[in-house]
Amino acid sequence: MNGDRGLAVCNALVAAGIDIDAVYLPAAMLKKEVVVAPLARLGLTVVGIENVNDPAFIDSVAARRPDIFAVAGFSTIFSTDLLAIPRLGTLNLHAGRLPQYRGGSPLNWQIINGESEAGLSVIRMDAGIDTGNVMAAGLIPIHIDDTIADVHAKANAAFPALVLDAIHRMTAGSPGERQDDRLAGYWHQRNDGDGRIVWERLNARAVHDLVRAITRPYNGAYCYLGDRMVRVFRTSLLNSFPVHGVPGRVVYLQGLGPLVICQDKAILLDDYSISENNAQKLPNGAHLR
């Protein structure tokens, strides 16, 4: 496991009386008391690992003769030798509707794409990337001003029940539901460089969706004022009146601002920072690129 989602699942499994033989964390996470302490309070054995596909680690896990692996937030692709260990199979928590959102950063992509709901899937892992049978699935709402932190919190609250359902189905012998590969789409893992706001290409809603999809705890969307980077963390759509003009232009109107013109109309920047001077306000008439 890796982080809050795994903690939520562990709490639910312990409460349901399911025996957790051990919890495996990336070795670096052993230093994070906010993760390790709650697991210790649950009485769970916590093991740090450098490489899940190391033959010595695989042998040590195989010796424990597990029934099921449950994987939460672990980005490393498991080898076939590792997947072959649990008697009933391996469950993976994937925060995307399948098969449409296979791959990386599924919650971010669903917000960026303006989805009103995010799909959550618990799949039986196979050798492919998010191609396994779906053992349990659900939907959570994405409201128009929800940020990635809001949606992560909703997903973390919803996943435990889905995992319990998947475990019950797996122990009952259900193979799960096959994915329709004709509907499949793969999305790459996002990085900071993907977050640039190109004002002349994105309409106001697209800018709003990008900003809320990669705001804190991530680095935030960005653009430039001259050579200085501007990070944008929160925006508001203007519903009462549209403001038009040259994309990228900063405007203050009757005390409201800064507004920045997008491809179609302006958007309000509620929270932003400018490199080298976080307290500086964007000047009226400036041009962002």
Side-chain angles (χ1 to χ4, degrees), residues 116-135:
S116 60
E117 294 177 315
L120 305 179
S121 308
V122 180
I123 62 174
R124 183 191 294 267
M125 284 180 69
D126 60 17
I129 299 176
D130 302 325
T131 54
N133 286 6
V134 178
M135 301 301 298

Side-chain angles (χ1 to χ4, degrees), residues 19-24 57-70 78 81-91 170-171:
D19 179 36
I20 300 177
D21 183 67
V23 177
Y24 295 92
F57 172 73
I58 291 174
D59 288 344
S60 70
V61 175
R64 305 179 84 105
R65 303 180 65 183
D67 292 319
I68 297 172
F69 288 163
F78 284 17
D81 288 341
L82 186 60
L83 290 175
I85 291 174
R87 181 175 64 88
L88 297 176
T90 299
L91 295 174
M170 184 175 276
T171 55

Side-chain angles (χ1 to χ4, degrees), residues 7-43:
L7 284 175
V9 170
C10 285
N11 275 293
L13 296 182
V14 170
I18 294 175
D19 179 36
I20 300 177
D21 183 67
V23 177
Y24 295 92
L25 304 176
M29 290 200 71
L30 291 179
K31 301 176 182 178
K32 295 188 176 181
E33 198 65 19
V34 293
V35 175
V36 175
L39 294 172
R41 287 194 292 270
L42 291 172

Side-chain angles (χ1 to χ4, degrees), residues 23 59 91 116 133 152 176 181 199 202 246 252:
V23 177
D59 288 344
L91 295 174
S116 60
N133 286 6
H152 268 302
D181 289 340
W199 300 99
L202 300 179
V246 176
Y252 289 81

Side-chain angles (χ1 to χ4, degrees), residues 63-125:
R64 305 179 84 105
R65 303 180 65 183
D67 292 319
I68 297 172
F69 288 163
V71 183
F74 221 92
S75 59
T76 304
I77 296 175
F78 284 17
S79 68
T80 54
D81 288 341
L82 186 60
L83 290 175
I85 291 174
R87 181 175 64 88
L88 297 176
T90 299
L91 295 174
N92 182 43
L93 283 62
H94 182 75
R97 188 196 308 264
L98 291 174
Q100 293 87 350
Y101 281 95
R102 293 175 178 173
S105 309
L107 282 182
N108 307 84
W109 282 118
Q110 287 170 98
I111 299 171
I112 288 169
N113 292 340
E115 302 279 10
S116 60
E117 294 177 315
L120 305 179
S121 308
V122 180
I123 62 174
R124 183 191 294 267
M125 284 180 69

